[in-house]
Amino acid sequence: MSPLALLVAFLQLLTAQAGATPTLAREVASERGRDVAVERVVAAEVPEPGATVRYQYNFVDLNADGTPEVLLRIDGRSTCGTGGCLLLVLSKAGSGYEVISRTTLTWAPILVSEHRTNGWNDLVLWQRADPHGGASHYKVLEFEGRGYPQDPSMEPAQLLELPVRGVAYMSDRLSPGIEYRRR
C-alpha cells in the first residue's frame, strides 16, 4: 500500500466518514517546475500586492481530446477558507490558459475518476468533517457542460456512494508547492 493510501486510511480511522472511499489506481505528484502561463493565472487570482501563496498543478487530459487541461490548486489567505482552498481547471488558449472551472473548498490530492460525465472525467474531492458534527466524506463533481460545481459542499456535488477508481493528482501532500509572491 502506498504512503498516500496509508495516510488516507489512517485519517478515515480518526474521523467518522460517510459514503464510499475511492480506489487509487496510481498517484501523481505535482509538477515541480514553474510554468509562466500557469503563473499568470495564479497572479490573476491573488489580488493584493505583496501577498504570498503556494500553488500545485498537474497536466491532465480531462476531456480525452489529446490536449491536457491543468488542475491548479492555490493555497493562500485570499484563496482558502476553513473548508479548503481554490481549485481551477484551465484549458489551453493560445500561449496561455483560460479558467473553465473554479471550485472552492478543496484539499489535495485531487482524484480524477475513471468515470466520465458529459465527456469529462469526474473529480472526487475529500471534504473534512464540519464543526457541526457532519462526517468526513468524498464528493463527486461531474462536469456540467461548462465546468465543475463551484462548491463541493452543495448540490449538484454528490456524496460518493459507490466506490470509484481514479488517479490521485497533487498526491505529494507534504510538499508545500511552488511559492508565488504578488508584486
Side-chain angles (χ1 to χ4, degrees), residues 169-182:
Y169 289 91
M170 299 175 219
S171 65
D172 44 347
R173 285 180 163 264
L174 301 179
S175 170
I178 299 169
E179 185 175 289
Y180 173 80
R181 183 174 177 86
R182 176 74 186 212

Side-chain angles (χ1 to χ4, degrees), residues 116-178:
R116 295 177 169 278
T117 303
N118 294 319
W120 290 66
N121 293 87
D122 296 345
L123 302 179
V124 179
L125 305 177
W126 182 75
Q127 300 286 281
R128 72 180 194 182
D130 69 55
H132 306 293
S136 296
H137 54 276
Y138 287 92
K139 286 288 190 95
V140 178
L141 279 65
E142 297 176 342
F143 192 79
E144 301 175 304
R146 303 189 95 189
Y148 292 94
Q150 181 176 351
D151 185 344
S153 68
M154 301 177 68
E155 298 233 355
Q158 306 164 35
L159 179 67
L160 179 64
E161 293 184 20
L162 299 173
V164 297
R165 181 176 156 91
V167 176
Y169 289 91
M170 299 175 219
S171 65
D172 44 347
R173 285 180 163 264
L174 301 179
S175 170
I178 299 169

Side-chain angles (χ1 to χ4, degrees), residues 36-56:
V36 174
V38 169
E39 279 204 356
R40 280 197 296 265
V41 175
V42 173
E45 295 297 326
V46 181
E48 62 274 354
T52 300
V53 297
R54 292 194 171 275
Y55 67 92
Q56 295 174 292

Side-chain angles (χ1 to χ4, degrees), residues 29 36 79 100 104 110 177:
V36 174
T79 59
I100 60 168
T104 59
I110 307 299

Side-chain angles (χ1 to χ4, degrees), residues 22-45:
T23 300
L24 303 180
R26 66 186 170 96
E27 300 169 31
V28 178
S30 304
E31 298 292 328
R32 295 284 187 226
R34 293 182 181 276
D35 181 300
V36 174
V38 169
E39 279 204 356
R40 280 197 296 265
V41 175
V42 173
E45 295 297 326

